[in-house]
Amino acid sequence: NAGVTQTPKFRVLKTGQSMTLLCAQDMNHEYMYWYRQDPGMGLRLIHYSVGEGTTAKGEVPDGYNVSRLKKQNFLLGLESAAPSQTSVYFCASRGFGSNQPQHFGDGTRLSIL
Amino acid sequence: AQSVTQPDIHITVSEGASLELRCNYSYGATPYLFWYVQSPGQGLQLLLKYFSGDTLVQGIKGFEAEFKRSQSSFNLRKPSVHWSDAAEYFCAVGPEGFSGGGADGLTFGKGTHLIIQP
């Protein structure tokens, strides 16, 4: 029972490089989310998706793009990485319904040099 | 916009002692409230949630939380902590549209780091 799986778990990039973080869920959830976690800041929402083919901006979307081509996958892209994007990134998903909590992956630790 | 405040950045408790972690929220309507726990290097695990009804909610691992509308609080409690409870704890609030029609993400507090003394 995998739940929410994030790939990769760790990555080091140089400034200006691009990369894509992958989130996969096997719970048939409609909604998916990308958060970043920084020391002393809690988690902040980057982008989210309410279903296949849809995306929306969260609190801190600048510098990131997302895609939801398949219901089970939610991709987070950094086109030109900056040191300010060094963070731990968490993906979450939840089902449709008023009593459905978010389920989180184990995170991706990303360092931009 | 909603916001969540966790006033205590760090809390140290002796093993076997009781615990209360504070959470205050700012929100216009009845909120959906959550407590998550994060162990080092791990993702967030849901401890408990409040949507409506009984204001005292029970969660996993012996935790409970009480919703107090008059104080805009949702404090987390445990009668006797264990060393394995050492972790980061996050309070979060869901927006009005969270009931299913909307899907906005959660707003998190900055977390409380719990240290357990032997």
Side-chain angles (χ1 to χ4, degrees), chain A residues 62-79:
Chain A
D62 294 341
Y64 305 95
N65 57 76
V66 289
S67 64
R68 184 97 180 268
L69 299 180
K70 295 182 179 180
K71 184 177 183 179
Q72 64 268 33
N73 296 336
F74 194 30
L75 278 63
L76 177 71
L78 286 73
E79 291 183 346

PDB file of all heavy atoms in Angstrom, chain A residues 62-79:
ATOM      1  N   ASP A  62       5.742  31.268  -7.677  1.00  0.00           N
ATOM      2  CA  ASP A  62       6.747  31.815  -8.592  1.00  0.00           C
ATOM      3  C   ASP A  62       7.975  30.930  -8.691  1.00  0.00           C
ATOM      4  O   ASP A  62       8.536  30.508  -7.694  1.00  0.00           O
ATOM      5  CB  ASP A  62       7.150  33.223  -8.136  1.00  0.00           C
ATOM      6  CG  ASP A  62       6.000  34.210  -8.242  1.00  0.00           C
ATOM      7  OD1 ASP A  62       5.038  33.912  -8.976  1.00  0.00           O
ATOM      8  OD2 ASP A  62       6.062  35.271  -7.602  1.00  0.00           O
ATOM      9  N   GLY A  63       8.399  30.696  -9.950  1.00  0.00           N
ATOM     10  CA  GLY A  63       9.580  29.882 -10.204  1.00  0.00           C
ATOM     11  C   GLY A  63       9.284  28.414 -10.387  1.00  0.00           C
ATOM     12  O   GLY A  63      10.202  27.622 -10.623  1.00  0.00           O
ATOM     13  N   TYR A  64       8.025  28.040 -10.279  1.00  0.00           N
ATOM     14  CA  TYR A  64       7.617  26.636 -10.397  1.00  0.00           C
ATOM     15  C   TYR A  64       6.522  26.482 -11.447  1.00  0.00           C
ATOM     16  O   TYR A  64       5.706  27.374 -11.639  1.00  0.00           O
ATOM     17  CB  TYR A  64       7.066  26.107  -9.079  1.00  0.00           C
ATOM     18  CG  TYR A  64       7.979  26.249  -7.898  1.00  0.00           C
ATOM     19  CD1 TYR A  64       7.864  27.343  -7.033  1.00  0.00           C
ATOM     20  CD2 TYR A  64       8.954  25.292  -7.615  1.00  0.00           C
ATOM     21  CE1 TYR A  64       8.692  27.486  -5.941  1.00  0.00           C
ATOM     22  CE2 TYR A  64       9.784  25.423  -6.517  1.00  0.00           C
ATOM     23  CZ  TYR A  64       9.647  26.521  -5.690  1.00  0.00           C
ATOM     24  OH  TYR A  64      10.470  26.655  -4.601  1.00  0.00           O
ATOM     25  N   ASN A  65       6.511  25.314 -12.094  1.00  0.00           N
ATOM     26  CA  ASN A  65       5.390  24.962 -12.947  1.00  0.00           C
ATOM     27  C   ASN A  65       4.965  23.542 -12.603  1.00  0.00           C
ATOM     28  O   ASN A  65       5.743  22.764 -12.046  1.00  0.00           O
ATOM     29  CB  ASN A  65       5.755  25.080 -14.427  1.00  0.00           C
ATOM     30  CG  ASN A  65       6.951  24.230 -14.800  1.00  0.00           C
ATOM     31  OD1 ASN A  65       6.851  23.015 -14.929  1.00  0.00           O
ATOM     32  ND2 ASN A  65       8.106  24.861 -14.959  1.00  0.00           N
ATOM     33  N   VAL A  66       3.735  23.220 -12.907  1.00  0.00           N
ATOM     34  CA  VAL A  66       3.190  21.906 -12.572  1.00  0.00           C
ATOM     35  C   VAL A  66       2.391  21.363 -13.738  1.00  0.00           C
ATOM     36  O   VAL A  66       1.933  22.114 -14.606  1.00  0.00           O
ATOM     37  CB  VAL A  66       2.289  21.938 -11.318  1.00  0.00           C
ATOM     38  CG1 VAL A  66       3.105  22.148 -10.049  1.00  0.00           C
ATOM     39  CG2 VAL A  66       1.208  22.991 -11.461  1.00  0.00           C
ATOM     40  N   SER A  67       2.225  20.045 -13.730  1.00  0.00           N
ATOM     41  CA  SER A  67       1.350  19.417 -14.712  1.00  0.00           C
ATOM     42  C   SER A  67       0.685  18.200 -14.107  1.00  0.00           C
ATOM     43  O   SER A  67       1.275  17.499 -13.272  1.00  0.00           O
ATOM     44  CB  SER A  67       2.130  19.028 -15.975  1.00  0.00           C
ATOM     45  OG  SER A  67       3.108  18.045 -15.680  1.00  0.00           O
ATOM     46  N   ARG A  68      -0.541  17.949 -14.545  1.00  0.00           N
ATOM     47  CA  ARG A  68      -1.333  16.807 -14.054  1.00  0.00           C
ATOM     48  C   ARG A  68      -1.935  16.122 -15.286  1.00  0.00           C
ATOM     49  O   ARG A  68      -3.122  16.197 -15.554  1.00  0.00           O
ATOM     50  CB  ARG A  68      -2.442  17.294 -13.125  1.00  0.00           C
ATOM     51  CG  ARG A  68      -3.248  16.161 -12.508  1.00  0.00           C
ATOM     52  CD  ARG A  68      -2.782  15.813 -11.133  1.00  0.00           C
ATOM     53  NE  ARG A  68      -3.551  14.735 -10.541  1.00  0.00           N
ATOM     54  CZ  ARG A  68      -4.628  14.917  -9.786  1.00  0.00           C
ATOM     55  NH1 ARG A  68      -5.096  16.142  -9.551  1.00  0.00           N
ATOM     56  NH2 ARG A  68      -5.248  13.883  -9.263  1.00  0.00           N
ATOM     57  N   LEU A  69      -1.077  15.460 -16.023  1.00  0.00           N
ATOM     58  CA  LEU A  69      -1.525  14.802 -17.257  1.00  0.00           C
ATOM     59  C   LEU A  69      -2.280  13.517 -16.962  1.00  0.00           C
ATOM     60  O   LEU A  69      -3.137  13.093 -17.730  1.00  0.00           O
ATOM     61  CB  LEU A  69      -0.327  14.535 -18.161  1.00  0.00           C
ATOM     62  CG  LEU A  69       0.443  15.771 -18.627  1.00  0.00           C
ATOM     63  CD1 LEU A  69       1.601  15.391 -19.514  1.00  0.00           C
ATOM     64  CD2 LEU A  69      -0.485  16.753 -19.340  1.00  0.00           C
ATOM     65  N   LYS A  70      -1.934  12.877 -15.852  1.00  0.00           N
ATOM     66  CA  LYS A  70      -2.624  11.673 -15.426  1.00  0.00           C
ATOM     67  C   LYS A  70      -3.134  11.883 -14.012  1.00  0.00           C
ATOM     68  O   LYS A  70      -2.483  12.578 -13.217  1.00  0.00           O
ATOM     69  CB  LYS A  70      -1.694  10.458 -15.469  1.00  0.00           C
ATOM     70  CG  LYS A  70      -1.224  10.060 -16.843  1.00  0.00           C
ATOM     71  CD  LYS A  70      -0.342   8.808 -16.764  1.00  0.00           C
ATOM     72  CE  LYS A  70       0.118   8.374 -18.148  1.00  0.00           C
ATOM     73  NZ  LYS A  70       0.976   7.147 -18.089  1.00  0.00           N
ATOM     74  N   LYS A  71      -4.232  11.298 -13.691  1.00  0.00           N
ATOM     75  CA  LYS A  71      -4.850  11.498 -12.380  1.00  0.00           C
ATOM     76  C   LYS A  71      -3.906  11.117 -11.255  1.00  0.00           C
ATOM     77  O   LYS A  71      -3.883  11.777 -10.206  1.00  0.00           O
ATOM     78  CB  LYS A  71      -6.132  10.675 -12.278  1.00  0.00           C
ATOM     79  CG  LYS A  71      -6.909  10.889 -10.999  1.00  0.00           C
ATOM     80  CD  LYS A  71      -8.203  10.095 -11.009  1.00  0.00           C
ATOM     81  CE  LYS A  71      -9.015  10.361  -9.751  1.00  0.00           C
ATOM     82  NZ  LYS A  71     -10.298   9.605  -9.763  1.00  0.00           N
ATOM     83  N   GLN A  72      -3.117  10.081 -11.443  1.00  0.00           N
ATOM     84  CA  GLN A  72      -2.298   9.592 -10.353  1.00  0.00           C
ATOM     85  C   GLN A  72      -0.974  10.337 -10.192  1.00  0.00           C
ATOM     86  O   GLN A  72      -0.277  10.126  -9.209  1.00  0.00           O
ATOM     87  CB  GLN A  72      -2.023   8.095 -10.529  1.00  0.00           C
ATOM     88  CG  GLN A  72      -1.214   7.730 -11.765  1.00  0.00           C
ATOM     89  CD  GLN A  72      -2.082   7.412 -12.964  1.00  0.00           C
ATOM     90  OE1 GLN A  72      -3.158   7.997 -13.128  1.00  0.00           O
ATOM     91  NE2 GLN A  72      -1.618   6.490 -13.797  1.00  0.00           N
ATOM     92  N   ASN A  73      -0.626  11.190 -11.161  1.00  0.00           N
ATOM     93  CA  ASN A  73       0.677  11.846 -11.120  1.00  0.00           C
ATOM     94  C   ASN A  73       0.546  13.363 -11.091  1.00  0.00           C
ATOM     95  O   ASN A  73      -0.300  13.949 -11.777  1.00  0.00           O
ATOM     96  CB  ASN A  73       1.523  11.461 -12.334  1.00  0.00           C
ATOM     97  CG  ASN A  73       1.869   9.987 -12.362  1.00  0.00           C
ATOM     98  OD1 ASN A  73       1.882   9.328 -11.334  1.00  0.00           O
ATOM     99  ND2 ASN A  73       2.142   9.469 -13.546  1.00  0.00           N
ATOM    100  N   PHE A  74       1.443  13.989 -10.333  1.00  0.00           N
ATOM    101  CA  PHE A  74       1.473  15.453 -10.256  1.00  0.00           C
ATOM    102  C   PHE A  74       2.941  15.853 -10.274  1.00  0.00           C
ATOM    103  O   PHE A  74       3.691  15.506  -9.360  1.00  0.00           O
ATOM    104  CB  PHE A  74       0.790  15.919  -8.977  1.00  0.00           C
ATOM    105  CG  PHE A  74       0.459  17.385  -8.936  1.00  0.00           C
ATOM    106  CD1 PHE A  74       0.178  18.105 -10.083  1.00  0.00           C
ATOM    107  CD2 PHE A  74       0.384  18.053  -7.715  1.00  0.00           C
ATOM    108  CE1 PHE A  74      -0.155  19.453 -10.033  1.00  0.00           C
ATOM    109  CE2 PHE A  74       0.046  19.410  -7.647  1.00  0.00           C
ATOM    110  CZ  PHE A  74      -0.224  20.095  -8.806  1.00  0.00           C
ATOM    111  N   LEU A  75       3.343  16.556 -11.324  1.00  0.00           N
ATOM    112  CA  LEU A  75       4.749  16.890 -11.523  1.00  0.00           C
ATOM    113  C   LEU A  75       5.010  18.349 -11.146  1.00  0.00           C
ATOM    114  O   LEU A  75       4.226  19.241 -11.494  1.00  0.00           O
ATOM    115  CB  LEU A  75       5.149  16.671 -12.983  1.00  0.00           C
ATOM    116  CG  LEU A  75       5.491  15.225 -13.417  1.00  0.00           C
ATOM    117  CD1 LEU A  75       4.302  14.307 -13.279  1.00  0.00           C
ATOM    118  CD2 LEU A  75       6.021  15.223 -14.833  1.00  0.00           C
ATOM    119  N   LEU A  76       6.139  18.560 -10.480  1.00  0.00           N
ATOM    120  CA  LEU A  76       6.567  19.912 -10.127  1.00  0.00           C
ATOM    121  C   LEU A  76       7.875  20.203 -10.838  1.00  0.00           C
ATOM    122  O   LEU A  76       8.845  19.449 -10.679  1.00  0.00           O
ATOM    123  CB  LEU A  76       6.775  20.042  -8.621  1.00  0.00           C
ATOM    124  CG  LEU A  76       7.286  21.389  -8.124  1.00  0.00           C
ATOM    125  CD1 LEU A  76       6.202  22.461  -8.257  1.00  0.00           C
ATOM    126  CD2 LEU A  76       7.731  21.301  -6.659  1.00  0.00           C
ATOM    127  N   GLY A  77       7.901  21.267 -11.630  1.00  0.00           N
ATOM    128  CA  GLY A  77       9.084  21.610 -12.405  1.00  0.00           C
ATOM    129  C   GLY A  77       9.727  22.899 -11.954  1.00  0.00           C
ATOM    130  O   GLY A  77       9.052  23.852 -11.569  1.00  0.00           O
ATOM    131  N   LEU A  78      11.062  22.880 -11.980  1.00  0.00           N
ATOM    132  CA  LEU A  78      11.835  24.087 -11.766  1.00  0.00           C
ATOM    133  C   LEU A  78      12.572  24.349 -13.076  1.00  0.00           C
ATOM    134  O   LEU A  78      13.417  23.549 -13.491  1.00  0.00           O
ATOM    135  CB  LEU A  78      12.858  23.910 -10.637  1.00  0.00           C
ATOM    136  CG  LEU A  78      12.361  23.887  -9.202  1.00  0.00           C
ATOM    137  CD1 LEU A  78      11.635  22.599  -8.868  1.00  0.00           C
ATOM    138  CD2 LEU A  78      13.538  24.094  -8.246  1.00  0.00           C
ATOM    139  N   GLU A  79      12.228  25.417 -13.751  1.00  0.00           N
ATOM    140  CA  GLU A  79      12.811  25.688 -15.059  1.00  0.00           C
ATOM    141  C   GLU A  79      14.246  26.191 -14.963  1.00  0.00           C
ATOM    142  O   GLU A  79      15.100  25.822 -15.754  1.00  0.00           O
ATOM    143  CB  GLU A  79      11.956  26.697 -15.816  1.00  0.00           C
ATOM    144  CG  GLU A  79      10.602  26.140 -16.233  1.00  0.00           C
ATOM    145  CD  GLU A  79       9.792  27.130 -17.057  1.00  0.00           C
ATOM    146  OE1 GLU A  79      10.159  28.312 -17.076  1.00  0.00           O
ATOM    147  OE2 GLU A  79       8.789  26.700 -17.667  1.00  0.00           O
TER     148      GLU A  79
END
